[in-house]
Amino acid sequence: MTKMNRTERLKQASQSRRAGQIAPIMPGSPVAKKLESATRLRQAGQLAQALVQLESAVALDKTNPRCLLELANLQRAMDEPSKAVINLRKALGSAPKNPQLAANLGATLRDLSQLEEALRAFEKAVEWKPDFHLALNEVGVTQEMLGRPQEALDAFQRSIAMDKRQPQTYVSIGLVQLELGNAQAALEAGEACHKIDPRVGSSMMIRAYAMNELGRAEETRALMDLDSLVVPIELDEFEGYANAGKFNEALVRALVTHPSLKKEPNQRTTRGGLQTGELNRDESGPIHEMQQVLDRSVKRYLDELPSNPDHPYLCSRPKTWRISFWGTILDEQGHQEPHIHPQAWVSGAYYAQLPDSTKAASEERPGWIEFGRPPANFKLEKEFPTRTLQPKEGTLVLFPSFVYHRTVPSIGETQRVSVAVAAVPLT
């Protein structure tokens, strides 16, 4: 390969900027080596060290959009979206009209709840690349977050017109149709998604709510089957701990002092409490043991599910998965709003500490977990099947990730401490 001199590199960079492109970095250059090192460190989970390498790369070439983009992506992963926005704006200054940079800026602004600005960034990405259907999907997501379901639906349908093999976009259409009260259209979207990819669990949820609205209650119960698919598992063996009580004490200490704890983190469903970031990278102590226990328990859950070739969840279980888990700490009146984990296949909650009111029997059921109740924005007229379970310390409850679940507001001075898990399919 012929090497370019400095004048030729500057000329190529100028041409790339005019075209809205990001010029390639010279292989073997100091900047390229810094980026390669950062990539290796990030893949190994060493984010702080990767950050040092990327900051060094930017110091060597302060206006390089590739360096600025990589730095911004890492800052966003490290929950520093404000810093990421600054670097993405700098990158767009060096590569104006770059659709990918605009889309990344939109996603980061959305992390900051700056929804109108995020929408404008996504719309710019589509303006600069009209066939950028992924950015168009983000326009729809943002419109929905702004409370504009019809505008969201228009964006999703434009995206599907560009590429009809987008299962997640059909999920988005189905959700908006439920919000608009169009059960038949929601059902059609859910079926279209399932036809493309049977492993998208969200399509099952959409179909269940839509069928129930259309009077197909028996099919709804067969698909949801909350009595069989929601499974409590009492855990009593933890390596290095005498019993579950000792493990729970150590786990609670680790969670309530965890550096990633945030009060009601943005775009999460925790209300009146705190939530950690993902805990997968912790390498020792009770959090590490929790990960091992969760992985074994998910395998046990999947192995023991009944066999049914006619049920889309029971006949499509994954062979391998990645465990994602995080801690939730609820104060007085704290709760989780109805939600699902759309990227996962199995979800669950492990209970380490509970208020006395949750342990007692009462009609109010404070701190209990409820399955099946849809979000308030769905326009559904018919009652939907639900199941409510009383949490118990040392118990893990596992269930399909497509099932909406929430917690009844907690009561009492003692914090309700739990670990949520999502098993994301790999194969």
Side-chain angles (χ1 to χ4, degrees):
M1 184 175 67
T2 304
K3 292 185 177 180
M4 293 186 292
N5 60 33
R6 184 173 184 275
T7 301
E8 290 171 327
R9 291 200 302 273
L10 290 173
K11 181 179 178 181
Q12 184 190 61
S14 176
Q15 290 171 339
S16 296
R17 283 195 296 271
R18 288 196 297 271
Q21 299 173 348
I22 297 177
I25 293 174
M26 178 65 66
S29 68
V31 170
K33 290 178 180 178
K34 294 286 185 184
L35 292 181
E36 291 167 3
S37 176
T39 298
R40 288 194 298 271
L41 289 165
R42 183 172 182 176
Q43 290 173 345
Q46 300 175 27
L47 302 190
Q49 295 91 324
L51 181 64
V52 171
Q53 294 297 310
L54 289 174
E55 288 175 337
S56 298
V58 170
L60 290 171
D61 193 346
K62 293 181 174 60
T63 62
N64 187 297
R66 174 61 62 190
C67 296
L68 290 164
L69 173 61
E70 295 297 333
L71 177 57
N73 286 342
L74 182 58
Q75 288 169 330
R76 187 181 176 210
M78 296 178 73
D79 203 19
E80 295 184 330
S82 297
K83 293 180 180 179
V85 165
I86 292 171
N87 286 311
L88 287 168
R89 292 195 190 281
K90 288 180 181 177
L92 276 166
S94 298
K97 296 190 176 182
N98 180 277
Q100 189 60 58
L101 288 175
N104 281 43
L105 177 61
T108 311
L109 287 166
R110 200 165 60 197
D111 290 344
L112 293 165
S113 296
Q114 299 176 24
L115 299 183
E116 291 289 0
E117 284 192 65
L119 179 61
R120 285 193 289 272
F122 288 129
E123 288 175 337
K124 281 294 182 184
V126 176
E127 177 186 334
W128 296 335
K129 191 176 187 296
D131 63 345
F132 196 176
H133 62 80
L134 296 178
L136 194 51
N137 286 336
E138 299 301 335
V139 169
V141 170
T142 311
Q143 290 281 27
E144 189 173 9
M145 293 175 70
L146 284 163
R148 304 166 187 164
Q150 187 57 58
E151 289 84 346
L153 181 60
D154 293 343
F156 294 136
Q157 289 178 332
R158 285 169 57 200
S159 178
I160 280 293
M162 294 179 190
D163 181 3
K164 288 184 167 50
R165 294 196 62 80
Q166 295 185 74
Q168 291 296 341
T169 306
Y170 280 114
V171 167
S172 297
I173 290 173
L175 290 170
V176 175
Q177 295 288 18
L178 288 174
E179 190 172 349
L180 292 170
N182 301 327
Q184 182 61 43
L187 179 60
E188 291 169 2
E191 289 176 340
C193 172
H194 183 73
K195 186 176 181 180
I196 298 169
D197 187 355
R199 294 276 289 274
V200 179
S202 304
S203 69
M204 302 179 212
M205 172 271 297
I206 291 168
R207 291 156 63 201
Y209 287 121
M211 288 190 298
N212 194 64
E213 279 297 285
L214 295 170
R216 296 160 61 176
E218 186 174 338
E219 293 172 80
T220 301
R221 284 191 294 272
L223 181 58
M224 277 303 216
D225 194 10
L226 297 176
D227 290 334
S228 298
L229 297 178
V230 177
V231 180
I233 302 172
E234 187 172 346
L235 303 177
D236 53 13
E237 292 186 12
F238 299 90
E239 187 174 346
Y241 299 88
N243 51 51
K246 294 295 183 183
F247 172 78
N248 287 337
E249 290 174 5
L251 181 61
V252 169
R253 285 195 299 270
L255 293 177
V256 299
T257 60
H258 200 274
S260 68
L261 265 182
K262 278 195 170 183
K263 183 176 178 60
E264 299 184 8
N266 185 41
Q267 297 188 43
R268 299 292 186 270
T269 57
T270 299
R271 301 292 179 266
L274 304 99
Q275 187 172 313
T276 72
E278 287 198 27
L279 300 171
N280 306 52
R281 293 185 176 90
D282 289 86
E283 298 179 356
S284 62
I287 291 177
H288 174 75
E289 176 61 14
M290 187 81 260
Q291 181 177 357
Q292 307 308 307
V293 170
L294 291 174
D295 195 43
R296 293 195 299 269
S297 299
V298 167
K299 182 179 187 305
R300 172 183 166 186
Y301 171 80
L302 290 171
D303 287 346
E304 293 181 358
L305 284 176
S307 178
N308 184 346
D310 297 323
H311 194 288
Y313 187 77
L314 297 174
C315 71
S316 302
R317 65 195 77 183
K319 296 179 180 178
T320 60
W321 53 85
R322 172 181 64 84
I323 291 292
S324 173
F325 67 115
W326 57 96
T328 302
I329 301 169
L330 299 181
D331 297 317
E332 177 78 19
Q333 291 300 308
H335 63 281
Q336 290 277 338
E337 295 184 343
H339 65 286
I340 59 173
H341 305 143
Q343 304 304 318
W345 193 252
V346 180
S347 293
Y350 175 80
Y351 300 100
Q353 176 177 287
L354 297 168
D356 289 339
S357 60
T358 300
K359 300 176 186 178
S362 69
E363 292 185 5
E364 292 78 15
R365 300 178 175 181
W368 289 33
I369 184 168
E370 182 183 48
F371 301 94
R373 186 177 301 279
N377 64 323
F378 284 6
K379 291 184 180 177
L380 304 176
E381 296 181 357
K382 296 188 177 179
E383 185 175 350
F384 195 83
T386 62
R387 181 183 177 187
T388 308
L389 281 182
Q390 182 179 25
K392 294 181 180 179
E393 291 174 357
T395 295
L396 170 67
V397 181
L398 293 176
F399 51 92
S401 295
F402 71 85
V403 174
Y404 267 98
H405 52 287
R406 71 168 188 124
T407 54
V408 180
S410 185
I411 298 175
E413 295 182 1
T414 302
Q415 291 178 313
R416 181 186 186 276
V417 182
S418 63
V419 170
V421 58
V424 180
L426 298 176
T427 58

